[in-house]
Amino acid sequence: MAFLELQELTKSFGKTRAVERISLGVERGEFLTLLGPSGCGKTTVLRLVAGFEQPDAGHILLDQEEITTRPANRRPMGMVFQSYALFPHMTAEQNVAFGLRLRRLPPALIRQRCEELLALVGLAERARSYPHQLSGGQQQRVALARALAVEPKVLLLDEPLSALDAAVRVTLREEIRRIQQQLGMTVIYVTHDQEEALAISGRIAVMARGRLEQLGTPEEIYRRPRTVFVAGFVGASTRLSARLERAVEGRCRLDGILLRVPPQPELSDGSAVLLVVRPELVTLCQLNEASGAAADGGGQRQGQENVLLGTVELRTFLGAVTRFRVRAAGGQLFTVDLPGLQAGTLVPGQRVRLSFPPEACLVLPLEETGSGVTALPVPEWPAGTTGQPGPEREPQPEHA
Amino acid sequence: MRQTVSHWRGLLATRLALGLVLLYLLIPLGATLAFGLSGGHGWRGDLSALSAVFGDPDFWLTLLTSLGLAAGTTLLVLLLLTPTAYQVRLRLPQGRGLLETLALLPFAVPPIVLGTGLLQEYNGTAANSPLVVLLSLGLVPLLSNVFPLLDIPLLLVCSYVIVALPFAYRAIDNSLRAVDVKVLTEAAASLGAGWWQTLLQVILPNIWPGVLTAALLTFSTVMGELTLASLFNTYTFPIYLNMTGQNDPHRAALLAVLSFLLTLFCVLGIVPGSRLHAGAGRAALPGQIEGAGLR
Ligand SMILES: Nc1ncnc2c1ncn2[C@@H]1O[C@H](COP(=O)(O)OP(=O)(O)OP(=O)(O)O)[C@@H](O)[C@H]1O
Ligand SMILES: [Mg+2]
């Protein structure tokens, strides 16, 4: 049994089902992130764990001990809030000391702990400052030190960085990770920022509409999303609805084009699937001097590679990579990232050849209802965007 | 350049306005004092009028009674209202509207009506009416058989609490609004603080100016209340003041100034204390203490 166990947690607010039968285990010393779009119930899960809300059903066990109904102030949890929540009438040092004073530790020890913790978060010289004299990032550091002071068994952070600007967000998240590893702290971290989640987490629990969609390492979540929602929410991708023709051979049909995908022995022939292709796994090749099938990397895998023709519609420079929106001949939209110089002189309007290996295709079964395939969550490029499908957009429901 | 000029002009205007307000407040006070000391035939430079006031045993008796009533009422108001307002903000935000309306009700009921109503209710005959029995859970008839409820100062204090409710609740609730009660409470709870610890160590220091305002308003209300006291047959300072005024206006003027100074001292006594508590909280909530209007 895991260090912290959530079992079938359910919580409704009136008619809103905020959390529905969430079960997950957090190991000692683990950094677990709850990731999901706004309103999916991340905060509610955290507040249930902290004891600020009572679940309608389900259990919370910490270190084999049932704490479901224990009041918040008697749970060994530390909490860091999005709004910092420092006590405005206390200095940084007094804020950190608050929990220790409640525990009636000797003053000398309290002073020493405060110094250590403020040094740990890099604020040793600001011990005497009041919260309103500190920047947002500094306030959040104090809040972190304050939560760590009482040596909680689990540290809960609810979007601690979302009120900060981008640069501070990155440094502070690295620092949170460093401190977590240094102290071997068990952490549950809430964010709706997938990049942050991928960068910082040991494991990620992706949530949608109150449910747990997938639990796994950042790599698993990114490379092997198990649901259509996860595939769409984490990272950019091209999503194509297709039909498996020969499941065991990994052949499927996309609007008349035959594509090779990894073999899908557990799926049946003829089932509707969603193909997910990450943009960095597709290569583009300029079609000019009629030498259609020529300039492709290796050539020995020519027979295996999936090849489509298309036209560049949009080019977006993202720094390390250049992102292209390419409309294939069949009308499908592809997102393609080319690193550095490979982007070359490709410009909108240019005819290109898209190619990607079968392994680049992730196959997700789509539910079928009655005659046809249910409404597909295949993303359209929202008009006027730079072409980054993903977390900024409201995720579409999986089925109507 | 133009900015500094307009800055100075603004400062000057502020000073001027402040000076005018002070004059407006101080001139009547000074005139009253002069009138009181003069004793009817121009001030002859002695304080005989003052010593006559202090020599009156009724002065001390009523003053102590009123101070006691005021202190009791203030204490009761704060003890009742601070936790209630906090709890309502925290757990029952929907209930705030109702509470606000309830707290305003005493405004709609003149003290004379309140007093008469209370007298009717507690004077022993009506005390046995079914409604009173029901509302007091049977306590009123039970107690009024043992001793006359009307004569105990506690009942007067309780009715003063009702009179002071509107100002006091507003003052406290307003300062609670400036604080993120929910998040601070949760932060405190996650650090191990219970309800009382949170109220006393986290919430109270941050709403101290409002609590102080509530205390001052309550205190001064009681120190000047006449109607209820006379209905309840309690010989309080305002009644003494009123009676004296009918015989000796000079002495009454002196007493008025004295009661003003008394209130002022009470304020000054509390304000430095609040400094210690409020600390930086004051910086976060500027200008609230000025709301008391008595500095
Ligand atoms: N106290 C509450 N009363 C009523 N509804 C609530 C309450 N708290 C949350 N909800 C509802 O429960 C759902 C989940 O809310 P929650 O705050 O957990 O989402 P979240 O994933 O943290 O979103 P965000 O990223 O915007 O913070 C939402 O639909 C929200 O409206
Ligand atoms: Mg949230």
Side-chain angles (χ1 to χ4, degrees):
Chain A
M1 179 182 270
F3 184 53
L4 174 69
E5 279 272 331
L6 313 187
Q7 296 174 347
E8 301 271 308
L9 276 188
T10 299
K11 174 76 183 174
S12 302
F13 296 103
K15 287 212 170 74
T16 321
R17 294 216 139 199
V19 170
E20 260 192 286
R21 297 164 62 93
I22 293 264
S23 296
L24 62 89
V26 188
E27 297 299 337
R28 202 187 285 266
E30 184 178 10
F31 196 116
L32 181 95
T33 297
L34 298 178
L35 173 67
S38 186
C40 71
K42 310 177 294 288
T43 298
T44 307
V45 171
L46 211 65
R47 293 172 58 81
L48 288 170
V49 174
F52 301 146
E53 307 279 359
Q54 282 295 309
D56 300 334
H59 301 273
I60 304 168
L61 285 87
L62 179 68
D63 220 356
Q64 326 271 351
E65 216 184 319
E66 169 105 39
I67 58 164
T68 316
T69 55
R70 202 190 283 184
N73 60 333
R74 277 191 259 126
R75 295 189 189 194
M77 312 266 180
M79 180 100 178
V80 175
F81 299 81
Q82 182 177 350
S83 56
Y84 320 135
L86 292 179
F87 306 131
H89 62 294
M90 297 184 194
T91 61
E93 191 177 22
Q94 288 165 340
N95 265 284
V96 177
F98 182 81
L100 302 172
R101 280 197 290 116
L102 287 177
R103 283 163 181 71
R104 301 192 187 289
L105 297 185
L109 188 64
I110 293 181
R111 211 169 310 122
Q112 188 200 337
R113 287 276 297 148
C114 286
E115 267 171 36
E116 284 169 14
L117 282 160
L118 285 172
L120 183 71
V121 297
L123 275 182
E125 327 80 71
R126 304 307 301 269
R128 298 279 145 81
S129 304
Y130 284 96
H132 65 91
Q133 298 168 324
L134 297 172
S135 74
Q138 289 170 331
Q139 289 187 53
Q140 199 57 296
R141 284 164 196 264
V142 176
L144 185 63
R146 179 179 71 175
L148 290 171
V150 296
E151 296 181 350
K153 288 189 173 171
V154 181
L155 181 65
L156 310 170
L157 302 105
D158 189 2
E159 309 210 18
L161 307 179
S162 55
L164 303 172
D165 65 63
V168 180
R169 215 151 52 207
V170 172
T171 37
L172 202 48
R173 86 180 180 208
E174 278 160 10
E175 223 156 304
I176 290 176
R177 183 66 163 150
R178 168 183 67 82
I179 290 168
Q180 182 263 337
Q181 284 175 340
Q182 192 175 328
L183 303 179
M185 183 65 70
T186 309
V187 166
I188 304 184
Y189 186 98
V190 164
T191 183
H192 61 255
D193 181 342
Q194 41 132 348
E195 188 212 320
E196 192 171 293
L198 292 173
I200 199 174
S201 317
R203 275 195 305 164
I204 298 176
V206 184
M207 289 181 63
R209 284 165 292 124
R211 293 173 182 277
L212 186 61
E213 287 279 321
Q214 187 173 356
L215 180 63
T217 64
E219 285 230 14
E220 282 166 0
I221 297 286
Y222 185 78
R223 304 219 182 282
R224 291 193 296 282
R226 274 214 308 270
T227 68
V228 176
F229 174 83
V230 176
F233 187 71
V234 181
S237 60
T238 300
R239 275 153 289 173
L240 309 162
S241 55
R243 194 168 284 278
L244 267 183
E245 210 147 70
R246 299 276 298 147
V248 281
E249 285 171 28
R251 283 202 299 167
C252 74
R253 191 164 288 279
L254 171 78
D255 299 334
I257 311 164
L258 196 68
L259 291 182
R260 290 199 172 274
V261 299
Q264 304 294 321
E266 66 275 22
L267 293 180
S268 54
D269 290 355
S271 53
V273 292
L274 186 77
L275 303 184
V276 178
V277 188
R278 293 295 182 195
E280 67 275 15
L281 300 178
V282 185
T283 50
L284 286 184
C285 177
Q286 207 165 324
L287 276 184
N288 35 15
E289 298 90 44
S291 57
D296 189 2
Q300 71 265 55
R301 289 170 56 191
Q302 195 70 41
Q304 295 274 320
E305 200 95 352
N306 295 306
V307 177
L308 284 92
L309 298 182
T311 314
V312 174
E313 285 199 342
L314 190 71
R315 176 189 166 118
T316 314
F317 182 62
L318 297 179
V321 297
T322 304
R323 178 160 293 177
F324 293 93
R325 184 170 89 187
V326 179
R327 190 174 290 277
Q332 307 88 353
L333 280 176
F334 279 77
T335 307
V336 183
D337 283 352
L338 294 184
L341 298 173
Q342 281 185 37
T345 56
L346 286 173
V347 289
Q350 203 132 36
R351 302 263 300 146
V352 288
R353 201 185 57 184
L354 291 146
S355 56
F356 49 95
E359 311 83 73
C361 297
L362 196 95
V363 181
L364 296 173
L366 277 177
E367 283 170 39
E368 269 180 293
T369 53
S371 55
V373 177
T374 50
L376 288 180
V378 177
E380 286 301 318
W381 287 71
T385 63
T386 54
Q388 207 170 353
E392 299 86 2
R393 257 171 342 105
E394 280 298 309
Q396 289 104 343
E398 254 179 84
H399 31 74
Chain B
M1 186 60 200
R2 212 164 61 217
Q3 264 184 352
T4 50
V5 167
S6 71
H7 172 75
W8 282 111
R9 206 177 281 162
L11 210 64
L12 206 67
T14 319
R15 290 271 157 88
L16 201 67
L18 206 66
L20 283 176
V21 169
L22 274 181
L23 278 183
Y24 181 80
L25 293 175
L26 287 180
I27 286 176
L29 209 63
T32 314
L33 182 66
F35 177 72
L37 286 176
S38 72
H41 22 61
W43 190 30
R44 279 171 271 146
D46 62 356
L47 295 175
S48 58
L50 205 58
S51 57
V53 168
F54 288 140
D56 189 348
D58 271 13
F59 169 77
W60 294 109
L61 178 76
T62 55
L63 187 63
L64 283 181
T65 308
S66 273
L67 282 178
L69 285 171
T73 309
T74 307
L75 206 67
L76 200 57
V77 161
L78 294 188
L79 283 181
L80 279 177
L81 278 190
T82 316
T84 310
Y86 166 55
Q87 183 70 3
V88 166
R89 280 253 167 207
L90 188 63
R91 297 276 148 76
L92 269 179
Q94 326 84 281
R96 262 195 58 236
L98 178 70
L99 209 67
E100 216 158 83
T101 319
L102 280 180
L104 276 179
L105 271 185
F107 266 151
V109 183
I112 183 90
V113 175
L114 179 68
T116 318
L118 284 168
L119 278 173
Q120 288 282 325
E121 200 139 305
Y122 290 100
N123 73 356
T125 49
N128 290 318
S129 78
L131 189 67
V132 175
V133 173
L134 188 74
L135 286 178
S136 68
L137 305 172
L139 272 177
V140 166
L142 196 74
L143 289 178
S144 60
N145 287 340
V146 184
F147 51 84
L149 276 178
L150 274 182
D151 289 349
I152 56 169
L154 187 64
L155 193 61
L156 185 55
V157 167
C158 288
S159 39
Y160 279 152
V161 168
I162 295 174
V163 172
L165 203 64
F167 331 109
Y169 179 75
R170 292 242 142 197
I172 293 178
D173 194 54
N174 273 348
S175 58
L176 273 171
R177 184 180 327 185
V179 181
D180 196 340
V181 170
K182 189 160 174 248
V183 170
L184 287 188
T185 302
E186 286 173 356
S190 75
L191 295 167
W195 195 88
W196 280 106
Q197 285 168 319
T198 307
L199 177 61
L200 294 178
Q201 297 185 35
V202 175
I203 302 300
L204 203 55
N206 285 300
I207 61 167
W208 196 246
V211 173
L212 205 65
T213 309
L216 292 174
L217 290 173
T218 309
F219 198 89
S220 48
T221 305
V222 176
M223 285 307 284
E225 210 287 332
L226 194 63
T227 322
L228 281 172
S230 57
L231 278 172
F232 276 77
N233 281 329
T234 313
Y235 193 18
T236 61
F237 190 64
I239 291 181
Y240 169 70
L241 200 69
N242 190 37
M243 280 168 36
T244 317
Q246 284 164 7
N247 310 328
D248 184 351
H250 294 279
R251 185 182 285 195
L254 217 48
L255 285 172
V257 174
L258 278 178
S259 89
F260 170 77
L261 289 178
L262 199 75
T263 318
L264 193 67
F265 282 132
C266 290
V267 176
L268 293 179
I270 305 175
V271 170
S274 77
R275 289 263 158 81
L276 297 179
H277 282 267
R282 271 180 51 77
L285 307 164
Q288 285 209 2
I289 215 159
E290 285 78 0
L294 292 163
R295 284 184 76 175

